[in-house]
Amino acid sequence: MDKANERISTLAEYIGIIKKYNLHNGYFRGENQRYPNISSSLIREYISKGENFGLVDIYADLLRAYYQEVGYELDKMQGENFLAFSQHHGLKTNLIDFTTAPLVALYFACERDKYDVDNGYVYILNEEDTVEASEFLRAYSIREHLCHNVFSQLAWNRPDIVTEFRDLLEKYTGLLSGKNPYDLVKRMAKQICDYPQFKKSNLYLKEREALLKKGIDGISEIPQLVKKYLPNFDVLGGMGIMEFTALFLLFLMI
């Protein structure tokens, strides 16, 4: 279901939508009011307390304090997945809950005890629009009771994490996926162009556009352009995934 909106008022209509779009293997999220975007409760309710003490600091402190209380009671699986354990027990985290059960999502969309609103919302992701990243996150972001911002680590251009990130992209939009990796490049480019303050990223895109006007010869020069902006970046591999990763790293440097 690609950006389709359907309004339903009965359970039968909801089940009909699942069947109509063949969403049995989708991922569902229910929200009992409309928010500006889908985000975790931690981020949604965050109010900045000054430039020297941001969300990551608050988040890490919450996890550490909770781990000190319950860590001695955890078994191996709970310790290795402490972030998910915390989310399940009501701690605000940066995780966003989805479910494979459409009726569970509908329940949360219809829950009205605390909110004076008329409408609930169910958001649905197609399985093919996602990639399994649990091991990647467990290795680089979720380590026992600590918080490691995976995007900060990407911005530092750590070779191991960049390689693993590119492997995830290969699974998501590589040759066997049926997707075009340059669709990701186009979306990323649009995001960057909307923010002229991202000067380095926009300079890259300006030079890239000039190369594309040269045709095949210009396209073959894109790896050299990437090396100009990211001297230590590995330009080997599929061009689309390579360029998206490079553009993403330039964006994160801001």
Side-chain angles (χ1 to χ4, degrees):
M1 190 161 69
D2 186 15
K3 296 184 179 179
N5 294 305
E6 299 274 358
R7 186 177 182 87
I8 59 106
S9 55
T10 69
L11 177 59
E13 288 176 347
Y14 180 68
I15 294 173
I17 292 295
I18 306 301
K19 293 180 179 178
K20 176 181 176 181
Y21 293 103
N22 193 27
L23 296 169
H24 304 87
N25 293 323
Y27 299 105
F28 302 81
R29 175 173 175 81
E31 295 186 350
N32 49 21
Q33 60 179 303
R34 181 180 288 279
Y35 295 103
N37 49 54
I38 296 177
S39 63
S40 72
S41 57
L42 175 74
I43 294 171
R44 186 187 304 135
E45 298 175 10
Y46 169 65
I47 300 174
S48 175
K49 293 178 173 58
E51 61 182 63
N52 295 323
F53 194 75
L55 184 58
V56 172
D57 303 291
I58 296 171
Y59 172 51
D61 286 349
L62 282 171
L63 284 179
R64 278 192 291 268
Y66 188 49
Y67 189 82
Q68 288 176 357
E69 282 192 30
V70 303
Y72 67 94
E73 299 178 339
L74 303 180
D75 60 28
K76 186 175 185 295
M77 185 183 72
Q78 291 169 336
E80 291 177 349
N81 298 276
F82 183 66
L83 195 58
F85 174 86
S86 302
Q87 172 93 345
H88 179 71
H89 287 274
L91 191 75
K92 294 185 187 304
T93 75
N94 66 344
L95 297 181
I96 300 174
D97 285 321
F98 278 82
T99 177
T100 55
L103 295 183
V104 171
L106 184 64
Y107 169 82
F108 284 103
C110 295
E111 196 274 320
R112 289 287 172 271
D113 289 345
K114 301 178 183 178
Y115 301 94
D116 183 20
V117 291
D118 295 327
N119 299 312
Y121 301 85
V122 175
Y123 300 94
I124 308 172
L125 297 177
N126 287 321
E127 185 180 23
E128 58 266 28
D129 291 330
T130 68
V131 64
E132 171 57 57
S134 298
E135 291 304 319
F136 173 74
L137 292 173
R138 188 174 290 115
Y140 295 104
S141 182
I142 306 168
R143 295 179 179 174
E144 296 180 341
H145 59 291
L146 300 177
C147 165
H148 300 268
N149 188 326
V150 69
F151 294 109
S152 293
Q153 294 180 80
L154 276 170
W156 299 333
N157 202 0
R158 278 183 45 183
D160 55 342
I161 194 172
V162 172
T163 297
E164 293 292 335
F165 181 70
R166 288 171 70 163
D167 287 345
L168 277 180
L169 289 174
E170 184 65 40
K171 293 177 183 177
Y172 175 68
T173 188
L175 290 176
L176 300 179
S177 70
K179 300 183 180 72
N180 184 350
Y182 280 103
D183 289 339
L184 292 178
V185 176
K186 291 176 183 176
R187 292 175 193 168
M188 193 72 209
K190 184 180 184 306
Q191 290 286 322
I192 291 171
C193 290
D194 287 341
Y195 295 92
Q197 63 267 40
F198 296 156
K199 294 180 180 179
K200 193 170 185 178
S201 304
N202 277 291
L203 281 174
Y204 170 86
L205 290 176
K206 186 175 180 179
E207 291 195 50
R208 178 183 188 270
E209 184 178 0
L211 289 179
L212 294 181
K213 289 179 179 178
K214 294 167 60 176
I216 298 297
D217 291 338
I219 293 174
S220 67
E221 295 177 30
I222 285 180
Q224 290 94 322
L225 178 63
V226 169
K227 295 290 282 187
K228 174 183 175 181
Y229 283 83
L230 295 168
N232 298 321
F233 187 76
D234 183 359
V235 295
L236 298 178
M239 277 280 290
I241 291 173
M242 180 278 292
E243 191 180 11
F244 172 78
T245 306
L247 193 55
F248 192 47
L249 292 177
L250 286 174
F251 175 79
L252 289 177
M253 283 179 178
I254 311 298

